[in-house]
C-alpha cells in the first residue's frame, strides 16, 4: 500500500524502461482515484527513464484515512498504458520516515514496461532551503536585518518545520545554506 500525506509536498519517483517508443516524446501522470473523485498530477520523464511527479498537499482534497487506487500512466507517442498501480491510504505526516526500497509490479505478458519505486517521497534538503529562503524574502528579511528580525526569523522557521518536518541531521545544514544564500542576495 502506498502512503500519501495531507500535510506535505511529495515527489513520486519511479524508473521506467520503454521499448519501441521515444522517452523524449512520452508523458507521465499519476492518477489518484478515491470513491469521491479522482486527482491527476502531471509529471516528467527524463532521458534515463526516471519519472518524477510532484504531488501537492492533499489537505482539503482528501481526508485522512481515505483509501483508493493510485496509478502511474504513461503516454508514449500514440500509446497509453498503466505500468504501475497500487492501493493507497492518506495519512498525516509523522516524524517517522518510510522508504520503499524496492517495489516491483508487472502487468501481463504484453506489457513492455517495468517500474521500480525508488523511494517514498520526501521534501529534499534543497527544497527545504528554497522554501525557507522564499518565506524570508517575502517578509523582507535579508542578511543585513537578520539579527534585528531574529524573532520573526525564528517564528517563520519554527512554523515551517512544524508543517514540513526536517530531519534532525539536516537542520543545521539547511540553516547554514539559507544564510549563505541570503549573503549572496546582498
Amino acid at each position: 500500500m502506498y502512503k500519501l500525506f495531507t500535510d506535505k509536498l511529495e515527489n513520486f519517483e519511479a524508473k521506467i524502461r520503454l521499448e519501441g517508443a521515444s522517452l523524449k516524446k512520452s508523458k507521465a501522470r499519476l492518477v489518484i482515484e478515491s470513491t469521491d473523485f479522482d486527482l491527476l498530477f502531471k509529471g516528467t520523464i527524463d532521458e534515463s527513464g526516471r519519472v518524477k511527479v510532484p504531488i501537492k498537499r492533499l489537505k482539503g482534497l482528501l481526508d485522512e484515512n481515505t483509501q483508493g487506487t493510485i496509478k502511474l500512466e504513461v503516454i508514449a507517442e500514440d500509446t497509453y498504458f498503466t505500468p504501475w498501480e497500487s492501493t493507497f491510504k492518506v495519512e498525516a505526516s509523522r516524524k517517522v520516515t518510510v522508504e520503499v526500497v524496492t517495489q516491483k509490479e508487472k502487468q501481463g505478458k504484453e506489457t513492455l514496461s517495468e517500474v521500480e519505486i525508488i523511494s517514498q517521497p520526501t521534501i529534499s534538503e534543497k527544497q527545504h532551503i528554497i522554501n525557507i529562503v522564499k518565506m524570508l524574502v517575502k517578509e523582507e528579511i535579508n542578511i543585513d536585518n537578520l539579527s534585528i528580525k531574529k524573532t520573526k526569523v525564528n517564528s517563520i522557521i519554527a512554523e515551517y518545520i512544524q508543517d514540513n518536518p526536517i530531519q534532525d541531521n539536516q537542520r543545521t545544514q539547511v540553516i547554514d545554506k539559507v544564510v549563505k544564500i541570503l549573503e549572496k542576495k546582498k
Side-chain angles (χ1 to χ4, degrees):
M1 180 172 289
Y2 196 84
K3 293 181 184 178
L4 295 170
F5 299 98
T6 58
D7 54 352
K8 72 177 186 180
L9 302 171
E10 305 178 45
N11 280 317
F12 173 88
E13 292 183 6
K15 177 101 172 148
I16 64 169
R17 281 188 290 280
L18 214 61
E19 295 177 21
S22 168
L23 282 172
K24 287 182 182 178
K25 295 179 183 177
S26 299
K27 295 180 181 181
R29 59 189 182 194
L30 198 64
V31 178
I32 299 171
E33 298 175 337
S34 69
T35 54
D36 296 329
F37 56 91
D38 301 341
L39 299 171
L40 183 132
F41 296 94
K42 293 181 180 181
T44 57
I45 305 174
D46 69 15
E47 296 165 357
S48 67
R50 188 188 246 355
V51 176
K52 189 172 185 179
V53 183
I55 303 173
K56 297 185 182 208
R57 287 187 178 103
L58 298 176
K59 193 170 193 171
L61 296 173
L62 295 176
D63 295 326
E64 196 171 339
N65 296 321
T66 299
Q67 294 186 15
T69 305
I70 182 171
K71 36 183 168 177
L72 176 64
E73 295 182 344
V74 176
I75 302 168
E77 294 174 358
D78 61 348
T79 306
Y80 158 86
F81 59 99
T82 306
W84 177 81
E85 185 172 331
S86 179
T87 57
F88 74 86
K89 183 175 182 181
V90 178
E91 298 180 356
S93 66
R94 307 276 194 279
K95 300 254 179 192
V96 178
T97 30
V98 178
E99 183 172 328
V100 178
V101 178
T102 60
Q103 186 176 22
K104 294 183 180 183
E105 289 188 28
K106 293 183 181 179
Q107 296 217 344
K109 295 179 181 175
E110 297 178 354
T111 303
L112 299 175
S113 64
E114 187 176 305
V115 174
E116 181 179 337
I117 302 302
I118 296 167
S119 68
Q120 182 70 24
T122 58
I123 298 177
S124 68
E125 182 178 308
K126 182 178 179 180
Q127 193 60 49
H128 285 306
I129 294 165
I130 292 169
N131 292 345
I132 292 171
V133 168
K134 284 181 180 178
M135 293 171 76
L136 294 175
V137 168
K138 184 178 177 183
E139 294 294 324
E140 297 180 2
I141 296 172
N142 55 46
I143 197 68
D144 295 328
N145 65 11
L146 191 62
S147 60
I148 297 167
K149 294 187 175 186
K150 66 182 174 187
T151 305
K152 183 70 176 170
V153 171
N154 288 340
S155 168
I156 289 170
I157 292 176
E159 184 178 319
Y160 178 82
I161 290 174
Q162 186 177 11
D163 292 340
N164 305 284
I166 300 175
Q167 295 175 359
D168 291 340
N169 61 348
Q170 284 184 319
R171 287 184 181 181
T172 304
Q173 295 170 351
V174 169
I175 299 301
D176 288 346
K177 289 178 181 173
V178 166
V179 171
K180 285 182 183 176
I181 289 173
L182 289 175
E183 286 174 344
K184 289 180 183 178
K185 286 189 167 272
K186 247 186 160 179

